[in-house]
Amino acid sequence: MVDSDPSEPPATGIPGSPDELIAMQARSERPEKPDRELSARVQEVLDLIEQLDTSAAEDQQIALTLVRHLEGFHDEVVEEMKADEQAKHSQIVAWSIDADRLMRSRILLESVDLE
């Protein structure tokens, strides 16, 4: 493994070492996707979540519910696109990849042991 200076950001979005991963996590910005402005509705939900006195297990359940909802939405879009003869193959692939990412995220989140 190549030694790297953890204070320098990695050249790509994928860290090459644990030190680079720690440095990436310490940075406030994420180069992959810029932060989006939150809608009033989203901000209201986030404010309510912050007010709740939930346990880690309850937070995990909330996160899983949201990820499952988003995963289901992506799965539905993929199925609709597959049935649409005018849908572009590249769009189906992109939505499928994102659906797969969400599934993997859900599986990882489900595997977190909070006990």
Side-chain angles (χ1 to χ4, degrees), residues 4-6 8-17 19-25 27 29-33:
S4 64
D5 182 1
E8 292 180 19
T12 65
I14 301 172
S17 71
D19 289 335
E20 286 179 0
L21 175 60
I22 292 168
M24 282 177 71
Q25 292 172 335
R27 289 195 324 255
E29 82 285 348
R30 294 280 190 242
E32 300 87 15
K33 292 215 179 202

Side-chain angles (χ1 to χ4, degrees), residues 45-89:
V45 170
L46 294 176
D47 290 343
L48 289 171
I49 289 173
E50 284 184 26
Q51 292 174 10
L52 297 174
D53 185 22
T54 55
S55 68
E58 291 167 327
D59 290 341
Q60 184 183 36
Q61 289 175 342
I62 293 167
L64 277 167
T65 300
L66 292 172
V67 171
R68 282 186 190 115
H69 182 73
L70 193 53
E71 181 185 4
F73 172 73
H74 277 70
D75 289 339
E76 288 175 18
V77 169
V78 169
E79 290 304 315
E80 288 175 13
M81 288 178 143
K82 285 173 29 181
D84 183 359
E85 293 179 12
Q86 295 181 348
K88 293 182 181 178
H89 179 72

Side-chain angles (χ1 to χ4, degrees), residues 60 63-65 67-69 71-72 75 99-112:
Q60 184 183 36
L64 277 167
T65 300
V67 171
R68 282 186 190 115
H69 182 73
E71 181 185 4
D75 289 339
D100 184 66
R101 287 177 178 151
L102 289 163
M103 178 196 66
R104 292 172 190 269
S105 297
R106 176 183 46 79
I107 290 169
L108 286 171
L109 187 54
E110 287 171 339
S111 72
V112 173

